[in-house]
Amino acid sequence: MANPVTPAKATRQTTVRKPARRIRGWDNRMAFFTLIPSLILLGVFVYGFIAWSGYVSLTNWNSLIPTLTWAGLRNYATIFSSFRFQSDLRNLVVFTVLFIAGDLVIGMILALLVDQKIRAEGLFRSIFIYPMAISMVVTGVIWSWILNPTTGINLFFHALGFTHVPEWFLSSRFAPSVHLGQIDIGIPVGLLAVVIAAVWQMSGFAMAVYLGGLRSVPEELKEAARIDGAGPWRTFWSVILPQLKGTTATIVVIQAAASLKVFGLIYAMTGSGQDFSTDMPNLNMFQTTFQGDAFAQGAAIAIVLLLLMAAFTVPYVLSMLRGER
Amino acid sequence: MAGVRLSHVTRRFGNVVAVDDVNLEINDREFLVLLGPSGCGKTTTLRMIAGLEELSEGNIYIGDHDVSQLPPKDRDIAMVFQNYALYPHMTVYENMAFGLKLHKTPKDEIDKRVKEAAEILGLAPFLKRRPKELSGGQRQRVALGRAIVREPKVFLMDEPLSNLDAKLRTQTRVELKRLHQRLGATIVYVTHDQTEAMTMGTRIVVMKDGVVQQVDTPEGIYRRPVNQFVATFVGTPPMNLISATLTSEQGRFVAQVAGQKVALPEFLTPGLKSMTAEAMTLGIRPENIQLLAESDVPAGHLPVAGVVRVIEPLGHEQMVYCQVGDNTVVVRMDNTWRGQVDDNVVLAMESDALNAFDPVTERSLLTHETPMLA
Amino acid sequence: MAARRVNQTLIYLVLIIASILYLLPVYVVLVTSLKSNAAVSLAHMWNLPAHPGLSSIRAAWAQLSQNFGNSFYLAIPATLLSSALGAINGYALSKWRFRGANALFFVILMGLFIPYQSVLIPLLRVMDTIGLYNSIPGLIIVHTVYGIPITTLIFRNFYANIPDDVLEAAKIDGTGYWGIFRYVILPLSVSGFVVSAIWQFTQIWNNFLFAVSLTNPPNQPVTVALVNIAGSQTIQWNVQMASALLVSIPTLVVYIVLGKYFVRGLLAGAVKG
């Protein structure tokens, strides 16, 4: 018990302190080094190519001969004033809104049904998700058969006595039809067929995400609502749905990104349609570039698409990463 | 086996100083316990010894080697983690053998050591099982076994008992102590549990906010805390702190507690001389006070009058909370004592067990020459 | 209690109707592809085949078999390569804290959210220049690279669930960056690889844009071949449906056998790590 009262700080030695180096530095640097191959690949294939596309969109390369002379924003002016691209933007908005709305509603209904402690839950879940495992191209081919105006679903309508059956994707009508400049503003009826096929394919995703969300709502919260006298509907609207705000936002972002990427489905199902009533920017870009050889205009379309995509995915990814910390 | 020396060890995370200029000498074969509340820097200190955490400043020596810049594998240490950190895909045997295999120990030597350790720890029947198939106590022993087979210079243990239930914890405590004696190992042990610290440590380091408060034997920490933090952090219930006014009468120091004079013992005099202000704090442990009749106060005890406010029976003893002026003073009495709430009582404090603190700095006023206890 | 039973019945009824609607295309594909060329009529599309036979499927196979080979030759190496890179990246990003790790993860992850049209023109030029245009190896490279973001995300989230102290125990046991990867991380990665591989296989197999942009006959994957069959002058619905069926079989088999892991891949982009 020699020195029971020794303040620890009293014995400062007078050795020269050398700054400590980072002992874990090597392994951490190794972690960084291992990322380099991927970073180079993505640096070239994603960021480099985007920059390249951006450059092409500002040149006069609109034939098979790469004329890389400066054109400024002329290609953007051209596409934005074209009937086809204006139609594309209308179609993109209509498609995205209907597709996401359909996904959210159907996905939520399916998730609620599956969440009722039912038997064979796994089987039902599998049935609603399996279209996700199928190629968009396959979906397009199959649904162009099912929604073929002269057969398919329409046979049922005929059997039920309807004489005016829908023309599905062959329709060139707009509802409503409002002329604005050179295009009709309204819902291109032909596009509805594509929305149906897309919702069939993708609603399983919304269901799976909602199901996860529903299951993470604490049981006590529902019990508390029940004790407070809320019925099932009241509980859903006032307690569960507000809890699923983040889940819904996630689905909206992911599905909007998917809708901006839709290509194979349109390509295989309808193509551009009459008067571009089912055309999409993606298809326009592909055909402008590789069939029309207007590379600079194609690049301009692609850059517009990219900016649209970035507008909502960048905030989403940033908030997702911030939420981790 | 070897000793460990920490010299000016500091760890900063951004602007936060997690460990502040720690100097420690850990002797060979010592069971040193780092004790403190959560966030006091004890785990960070241990992880710096292990090499899992970088030093912002200072040096760490194991034996005579400066290991400050070495990775964990070159420090010749073994560690037992709070959550055991067993490799889920390996059997008990493989878990224990893994470190030896990496150090290229011959196969039969590995086999020998693993089986020995398994024997000591009672793990022999489970060598082929995976961690998932073991109970918490068994997993804990595998983690110990993984450290033992390495025969390291130093064992580092990070709250290894905190995930066990109370009964198993008591039992393992005893086993660990026996193991320490048997292996003659140097152990650095982190805990927030003072019972573990008191029962197992040969010495205890009490830390708070990254700063070492006191390094001493369990007895020293308990009886002569260097400041009010240590006095109240160690012990349940904690040491009583009684505010008093210091006066001097005929060269002797007298404390006024709620208007009552307490003639302070001689050994406090050197420390009290340095006091310039009048206010002081007396410290005394609940078991160093007895509730007696005024006439019965024996020699070496200092009486103060108080009133009983709460009685907490604990079976074998009772805690009696008395009011002395503005202070609440806890007294530990055995279960034969009979008293009532609102009784007027005399608290007889053992004068040798008295501690004194400066209420401003909260430091102890005892000096190096202060006796432990009569 | 009676109300509850009615409710239950209603739930099952709705679920079954929904299931029928979701499975409708399967029915259509099956009945149509089991009909022979002559038996397909627009008026009797929903009828079961009177004389089920494999002639349509055989005809489809004759046109698709080579493309099947292409698709496997493409999807398997690209799946393995992108999963391996994802595992290495995910390990580095989830288990090691180095300056700028989060920024680099962001840079990698954004590759998941680009419309591929925005890289298509340079991609074609580069592939042409290095002589890999119109070749399966070229497509393998493309799918490997553009698969890196999702596989990195999958593995990063997967490895986040392995406790850090297990890695620290390995460090103390005497191993470093690659030793921990080899002895601790990899043995625990099996289900991570299953998730990543299933997802990548499905995506690559089903992809159309890169396939149609970068290959010509006879080097095209099945998706392009299917569209070619569907777009040919004489519309043979039975052969189209048989082709659609054949194209879907590999991914559907994977889904039926390992659906749980497929859903985890599906949710990877939506669920935080």
Side-chain angles (χ1 to χ4, degrees):
Chain A
M1 322 299 138
N3 282 345
V5 191
T6 308
K9 286 196 123 180
T11 53
R12 281 209 178 223
Q13 295 169 18
T14 47
T15 47
V16 182
R17 296 190 203 177
K18 49 182 173 185
R21 272 159 283 134
R22 315 189 127 230
I23 46 159
R24 291 189 305 157
W26 174 246
D27 280 343
N28 278 325
R29 236 170 291 153
M30 181 60 89
F32 173 73
F33 287 142
T34 61
L35 288 179
I36 287 179
S38 296
L39 289 173
I40 290 175
L41 287 172
L42 292 174
V44 172
F45 279 72
V46 174
Y47 297 96
F49 285 3
I50 285 173
W52 191 342
S53 289
Y55 171 64
V56 169
S57 75
L58 301 171
T59 68
N60 288 310
W61 182 15
N62 282 318
S63 68
L64 275 176
I65 303 132
T67 322
L68 294 176
T69 51
W70 189 253
L73 294 174
R74 202 180 311 142
N75 293 305
Y76 291 91
T78 309
I79 58 163
F80 273 107
S81 61
S82 78
F83 175 75
R84 183 172 185 183
F85 192 65
Q86 289 180 7
S87 305
D88 290 346
L89 291 178
R90 172 201 62 211
N91 295 349
L92 183 64
V93 170
V94 169
F95 178 82
T96 304
V97 169
L98 294 179
F99 165 63
I100 291 179
D103 252 11
L104 289 177
V105 171
I106 291 176
M108 176 58 94
I109 291 173
L110 293 179
L112 283 171
L113 288 171
V114 168
D115 195 33
Q116 299 302 314
K117 300 187 177 73
I118 53 164
R119 241 175 284 177
E121 182 200 314
L123 176 68
F124 284 117
R125 253 187 303 150
S126 302
I127 289 173
F128 301 138
I129 296 176
Y130 89 92
M132 291 288 307
I134 289 173
S135 175
M136 288 278 215
V137 178
V138 172
T139 303
V141 170
I142 296 174
W143 281 88
S144 65
W145 177 224
I146 295 176
L147 296 179
N148 192 311
T150 50
T151 172
I153 294 283
N154 282 358
L155 293 180
F156 289 105
F157 288 120
H158 282 299
L160 291 171
F162 291 98
T163 45
H164 292 285
V165 292
E167 288 178 82
W168 299 112
F169 54 89
L170 292 184
S171 170
S172 56
R173 285 199 309 120
F174 291 89
S177 173
V178 182
H179 289 287
L180 186 85
Q182 47 182 337
I183 64 164
D184 285 302
I185 292 294
I187 298 173
V189 175
L191 203 55
L192 289 177
V194 186
V195 171
I196 291 173
V199 169
W200 171 79
Q201 175 142 49
M202 307 277 266
S203 51
F205 171 77
M207 184 210 72
V209 178
Y210 268 137
L211 198 55
L214 284 173
R215 303 232 153 128
S216 68
V217 175
E219 203 58 38
E220 296 99 75
L221 214 56
K222 299 179 208 166
E223 282 165 3
R226 206 182 314 152
I227 286 166
D228 283 342
W233 283 110
R234 184 81 212 188
T235 307
F236 176 73
W237 283 111
S238 311
V239 179
I240 297 175
L241 210 53
Q243 293 279 312
L244 296 178
K245 243 189 240 162
T247 311
T248 305
T250 300
I251 299 173
V252 168
V253 171
I254 304 265
Q255 298 297 62
S259 122
L260 273 172
K261 287 187 180 183
V262 160
F263 176 70
L265 181 63
I266 305 270
Y267 194 106
M269 190 167 173
T270 65
S272 298
Q274 194 184 341
D275 295 334
F276 302 115
S277 60
T278 61
D279 197 40
M280 283 285 185
N282 274 326
L283 192 61
N284 184 353
M285 184 276 169
F286 186 81
Q287 290 176 342
T288 302
T289 311
F290 301 116
Q291 288 159 19
D293 299 322
F295 288 87
Q297 284 176 28
I301 297 171
I303 294 299
V304 172
L305 269 175
L306 179 80
L307 293 177
L308 283 175
M309 184 81 106
F312 56 91
T313 55
V314 170
Y316 169 73
V317 174
L318 282 179
S319 78
M320 184 167 127
L321 291 181
R322 216 166 285 139
E324 281 182 5
R325 260 173 272 152
Chain B
M1 294 301 137
V4 180
R5 187 155 67 86
L6 278 65
S7 162
H8 298 297
V9 167
T10 300
R11 177 68 172 130
R12 278 182 289 268
F13 296 103
N15 291 327
V16 183
V17 184
V19 174
D20 190 2
D21 194 39
V22 169
N23 294 286
L24 264 182
E25 189 90 43
I26 302 163
N27 301 322
D28 192 11
R29 293 164 189 256
E30 182 164 27
F31 196 130
L32 186 93
V33 178
L34 298 177
L35 175 69
S38 62
C40 73
K42 55 190 193 298
T43 296
T44 306
T45 306
L46 188 82
R47 289 168 57 84
M48 285 193 287
I49 300 175
L52 293 173
E53 203 77 63
E54 295 163 27
L55 284 78
S56 302
E57 263 173 52
N59 294 84
I60 293 174
Y61 302 87
I62 294 177
D64 297 325
H65 300 288
D66 183 349
V67 299
S68 318
Q69 310 301 330
L70 295 182
K73 65 184 166 101
D74 298 331
R75 294 190 178 201
D76 204 358
I77 43 118
M79 186 155 167
V80 180
F81 290 84
Q82 182 171 9
N83 298 312
Y84 317 140
L86 301 179
Y87 307 118
H89 57 295
M90 296 184 196
T91 63
V92 170
Y93 185 98
E94 289 165 339
N95 260 286
M96 293 204 263
F98 184 59
L100 296 175
K101 224 157 70 187
L102 288 173
H103 283 87
K104 308 230 161 23
T105 315
K107 257 215 164 95
D108 41 337
E109 172 70 13
I110 295 180
D111 196 59
K112 198 185 112 216
R113 287 207 215 168
V114 170
K115 290 203 167 132
E116 251 175 45
E119 205 54 54
I120 296 174
L121 297 165
L123 287 170
F126 310 112
L127 284 174
K128 289 220 170 75
R129 299 220 189 147
R130 276 171 218 280
K132 242 196 314 213
E133 305 160 308
L134 299 176
S135 71
Q138 289 164 340
R139 281 180 214 184
Q140 204 275 337
R141 272 178 284 160
V142 177
L144 266 179
R146 185 166 64 180
I148 291 173
V149 295
R150 294 275 311 281
E151 299 178 0
K153 285 198 180 123
V154 184
F155 287 90
L156 306 173
M157 305 194 182
D158 184 10
E159 310 228 10
L161 306 186
S162 60
N163 283 339
L164 300 179
D165 63 48
K167 194 178 153 207
L168 207 52
R169 196 153 43 206
T170 316
Q171 194 184 322
T172 316
R173 225 161 54 201
V174 178
E175 277 176 32
L176 260 182
K177 200 167 177 173
R178 200 178 299 147
L179 203 63
H180 172 238
Q181 286 156 1
R182 175 167 177 173
L183 299 172
T186 309
I187 297 179
V188 185
Y189 186 105
V190 162
T191 185
H192 65 272
D193 182 326
Q194 44 163 308
T195 319
E196 286 176 23
M198 300 296 284
T199 51
M200 292 191 290
T202 50
R203 279 195 305 161
I204 296 175
V205 178
V206 181
M207 291 184 74
K208 181 199 170 198
D209 298 337
V211 178
V212 171
Q213 306 291 310
Q214 186 168 6
V215 185
D216 209 333
T217 59
E219 200 189 6
I221 297 268
Y222 190 75
R223 303 231 188 263
R224 296 298 182 212
V226 295
N227 58 32
Q228 295 186 12
F229 170 76
V230 179
T232 48
F233 184 72
V234 177
T236 15
M239 181 180 277
N240 290 302
L241 296 177
I242 307 164
S243 31
T245 318
L246 189 63
T247 55
S248 151
E249 282 177 16
Q250 297 142 16
R252 277 200 67 172
F253 285 105
V254 175
Q256 298 250 15
V257 178
Q260 308 174 56
K261 283 183 185 171
V262 178
L264 295 174
E266 200 72 51
F267 69 83
L268 289 175
T269 309
L272 291 172
K273 274 185 184 156
S274 63
M275 289 290 289
T276 49
E278 282 195 332
M280 69 165 301
T281 303
L282 287 173
I284 188 154
R285 296 241 170 241
E287 60 272 27
N288 297 126
I289 309 176
Q290 288 189 66
L291 300 179
L292 297 169
E294 178 96 58
S295 55
D296 294 342
V297 175
H301 284 68
L302 305 168
V304 193
V307 185
V308 175
R309 288 299 179 211
V310 177
I311 301 171
E312 228 177 44
L314 295 172
H316 61 297
E317 59 184 14
Q318 41 195 336
M319 296 298 158
V320 185
Y321 292 79
C322 303
Q323 190 183 340
V324 179
D326 293 336
N327 303 287
T328 300
V329 179
V330 192
V331 182
R332 190 193 297 265
M333 297 298 288
D334 65 27
N335 57 11
T336 57
W337 182 79
R338 294 282 173 268
Q340 303 274 321
V341 170
D342 292 338
D343 280 357
N344 287 308
V345 286
V346 170
L347 293 82
M349 306 184 286
E350 272 176 67
S351 64
D352 284 350
L354 221 48
N355 285 274
F357 302 95
D358 180 335
V360 181
T361 63
E362 301 197 345
R363 293 254 183 106
S364 175
L365 293 168
L366 303 197
T367 54
H368 297 189
E369 296 78 38
T370 310
M372 199 59 161
L373 197 68
Chain C
M1 280 300 108
R4 207 185 123 72
R5 199 164 310 140
V6 171
N7 260 336
Q8 282 285 317
T9 316
L10 205 65
I11 286 167
Y12 281 107
L13 197 68
V14 178
L15 277 169
I16 287 167
I17 291 171
S19 300
I20 289 171
L21 288 175
Y22 271 78
L23 289 170
L24 202 65
V26 175
Y27 172 80
V28 170
V29 167
L30 282 177
V31 295
T32 311
S33 44
L34 290 174
K35 289 171 188 167
S36 68
N37 216 358
V40 175
S41 76
L42 296 180
H44 299 108
M45 169 180 168
W46 298 98
N47 296 11
L48 286 167
H51 306 285
L54 295 177
S55 64
S56 305
I57 292 178
R58 248 182 249 121
W61 179 247
Q63 296 191 50
L64 280 174
S65 58
Q66 189 176 7
N67 307 99
F68 249 78
N70 290 342
S71 275
F72 276 113
Y73 174 32
L74 159 66
I76 291 170
T79 296
L80 296 179
L81 283 172
S82 59
S83 295
L85 282 171
I88 289 169
N89 296 344
Y91 171 59
L93 287 167
S94 64
K95 291 298 166 200
W96 300 87
R97 298 271 162 258
F98 52 93
R99 205 179 291 265
N102 268 326
L104 291 184
F105 181 53
F106 176 78
V107 165
I108 292 175
L109 197 53
M110 282 319 293
L112 189 56
F113 292 107
I114 58 163
Y116 294 117
Q117 267 79 0
S118 64
V119 295
L120 214 49
I121 296 170
L123 184 64
L124 256 72
R125 297 284 285 185
V126 167
M127 284 295 146
D128 196 27
T129 309
I130 60 178
L132 289 175
Y133 176 77
N134 192 21
S135 76
I136 296 296
L139 271 186
I140 292 174
I141 291 175
V142 169
H143 280 292
T144 301
V145 173
Y146 293 113
I148 289 172
I150 187 69
T151 56
T152 300
L153 177 65
I154 288 173
F155 278 102
R156 183 175 175 274
N157 290 354
F158 181 79
Y159 290 148
N161 293 326
I162 298 177
D164 285 344
D165 59 1
V166 174
L167 273 75
E168 293 183 338
K171 277 186 219 170
I172 285 179
D173 267 340
T175 184
Y177 190 85
W178 290 112
I180 294 172
F181 188 64
R182 159 77 185 77
Y183 295 112
V184 181
I185 296 292
L186 271 189
L188 295 172
S189 300
V190 178
S191 61
F193 271 102
V194 175
V195 170
S196 171
I198 287 178
W199 185 254
Q200 278 304 90
F201 179 82
T202 308
Q203 294 307 301
I204 296 167
W205 184 275
N206 288 342
N207 177 278
F208 177 67
L209 178 63
F210 288 133
V212 75
S213 309
L214 286 165
T215 52
N216 299 316
N219 292 319
Q220 292 172 324
V222 278
T223 47
V224 186
L226 171 66
V227 171
N228 291 345
I229 291 170
S232 59
Q233 292 298 317
T234 52
I235 298 173
Q236 297 174 295
W237 288 107
N238 55 328
V239 180
Q240 275 194 35
M241 292 302 122
S243 306
L245 177 67
L246 288 175
V247 169
S248 306
I249 282 176
T251 53
L252 279 180
V253 167
V254 169
Y255 174 72
I256 289 165
V257 177
L258 297 161
K260 187 177 79 174
Y261 297 95
F262 177 81
V263 175
R264 275 164 63 182
L266 183 66
L267 296 177
V271 181
K272 291 145 213 207

